[in-house]
Amino acid sequence: MTAPRALPALHATPLDLGGRTALVTGAAGGIGRACALRLAAAGAEVRAVDRDAAGLETLAEAVSDLGGVVEPHVLDLTDLDAAERAAAGADVLVNNAGLQLVRPIEEFPPDAFHTVLTVMLEAPFRLIRGALPHMYGQGWGRIVNVSSVHGLRASAYKSAYVAAKHGLEGLSKTTALEGAPHGVTSNCVNPAYVRTPLVEKQIADQARSHGIPEERVLSEVMLRDSAVRRLIEPEEVAEAVAYLCGPRASFVTGTSLVLDGGWTAH
Ligand SMILES: NC(=O)c1ccc[n+]([C@@H]2O[C@H](COP(=O)([O-])OP(=O)(O)OC[C@H]3O[C@@H](n4cnc5c(N)ncnc54)[C@H](O)[C@@H]3O)[C@@H](O)[C@H]2O)c1
């Protein structure tokens, strides 16, 4: 019998982001908070961006309990110039902030459509634009865009969200092509429904738009196409983000890491 080959050192190495600054948007809650904690646990100094000052304070306490370092940055990402400035010097950028509105197109308020596109597509563009000069200068950078199954598939009544996420997929791929010669990767992670306030808040809207009671939304709308019949946890998404920031993923760029319980296997 042949002796097993020794595992390459990479297999035994935990993610080490010591000396790196990781900017996470939407870090005050849900997936962003889980990403901030995961990257802080890997040693990154986390620049936590959100418009929710109280949520950032709670995050800061949790990060310091871990022995990590966080720089809270209260910012509304509709201020695009400020968003671009905030990204200067980041080694890792996680574009995560987002919002949802569930309405048929003919009832969808145009100003809400504009806000969703601004926060979820234009702000990521400006943050990437702000982060790239430093990443290119040092020949290393990691950009992770928190997309969704809705970056790859549409659902009725989510025109702005689906449009923004499909746009984010294109932005991420273009960033990957431009960044590759400079050691910068850009990828999306694409979860199905995650157990976060964003999902809890849309249950009433979903019930109204689909004409069903709220207690049927989870099974008949959210989990309808999922082979794994549960919501995914924010920490599971954060683990995928961490993978994309690590040395094992340096060849992974311009792609979408789908965490959808089999939804898109249909
Ligand atoms: N929850 C899900 O089922 C799910 C599934 C797939 C993808 N996603 C994506 O994950 C990301 C995070 O979603 P979540 O579920 O954690 O949502 P969440 O509502 O729990 O958190 C979103 C965060 O973004 C912040 N934010 C929103 N608008 C902002 C603005 N203008 N400026 C600054 N901060 C702002 C909020 O304050 C909040 O802290 C979003 O991009 C969302 O589209 C979520």
Side-chain angles (χ1 to χ4, degrees), residues 145-181:
N145 299 300
V146 181
S147 179
S148 164
V149 169
H150 288 108
L152 308 170
R153 296 284 187 278
S155 287
Y157 315 129
K158 293 189 171 179
S159 53
Y161 188 90
V162 170
K165 292 301 193 193
H166 276 66
L168 186 64
E169 296 280 328
L171 173 64
S172 183
K173 287 181 203 168
T174 305
T175 307
L177 297 184
E178 295 185 20

Side-chain angles (χ1 to χ4, degrees), residues 9-248:
L10 210 53
H11 287 183
T13 314
L15 177 62
D16 180 5
L17 292 176
R20 303 283 191 198
T21 296
L23 190 161
V24 180
T25 69
I31 297 167
R33 177 185 160 89
C35 290
L37 288 168
R38 179 65 184 88
L39 298 177
E45 178 173 333
V46 174
R47 194 178 298 168
V49 172
D50 208 294
R51 64 181 171 183
D52 172 2
L56 286 181
E57 259 178 51
T58 319
L59 170 73
E61 283 164 24
V63 171
S64 74
D65 286 350
L66 279 176
V69 182
V70 66
E71 179 200 328
H73 194 115
V74 180
L75 174 65
D76 190 319
L77 290 166
T78 56
D79 183 344
L80 295 169
D81 290 337
E84 182 166 332
R85 282 195 302 273
D91 304 297
V92 171
L93 169 62
V94 181
N95 277 315
N96 164 79
L99 63 159
Q100 177 64 278
L101 185 69
V102 182
R103 293 276 191 294
I105 291 171
E106 67 277 20
E107 293 169 21
F108 209 101
D111 58 339
F113 189 93
H114 177 73
T115 302
V116 170
L117 268 287
T118 303
V119 174
M120 291 170 56
L121 183 54
E122 210 168 335
F125 163 69
R126 296 293 294 271
L127 285 147
I128 291 169
R129 195 168 186 275
L132 284 182
H134 168 72
M135 292 179 177
Y136 284 3
Q138 68 182 1
W140 191 92
R142 293 286 177 268
I143 296 171
V144 184
N145 299 300
V146 181
S147 179
S148 164
V149 169
H150 288 108
L152 308 170
R153 296 284 187 278
S155 287
Y157 315 129
K158 293 189 171 179
S159 53
Y161 188 90
V162 170
K165 292 301 193 193
H166 276 66
L168 186 64
E169 296 280 328
L171 173 64
S172 183
K173 287 181 203 168
T174 305
T175 307
L177 297 184
E178 295 185 20
H182 306 279
V184 174
T185 67
S186 173
N187 293 287
C188 289
V189 293
N190 301 60
Y193 286 97
V194 189
R195 192 187 306 280
T196 71
L198 183 137
V199 158
E200 283 151 23
K201 281 186 249 162
Q202 71 178 267
I203 288 185
D205 267 4
Q206 290 269 26
R208 192 164 4 89
S209 296
H210 287 270
I212 58 173
E214 287 187 21
E215 55 275 15
R216 283 169 41 198
V217 167
L218 191 63
S219 63
E220 293 180 26
V221 179
M222 295 184 173
L223 298 181
R224 192 194 61 198
D225 295 315
S226 185
V228 180
R229 308 287 296 169
R230 66 171 175 85
L231 298 175
I232 178 171
E233 301 296 331
E235 292 73 20
E236 295 177 271
V237 182
E239 208 49 49
V241 171
Y243 161 71
L244 290 169
C245 295
R248 297 165 185 81

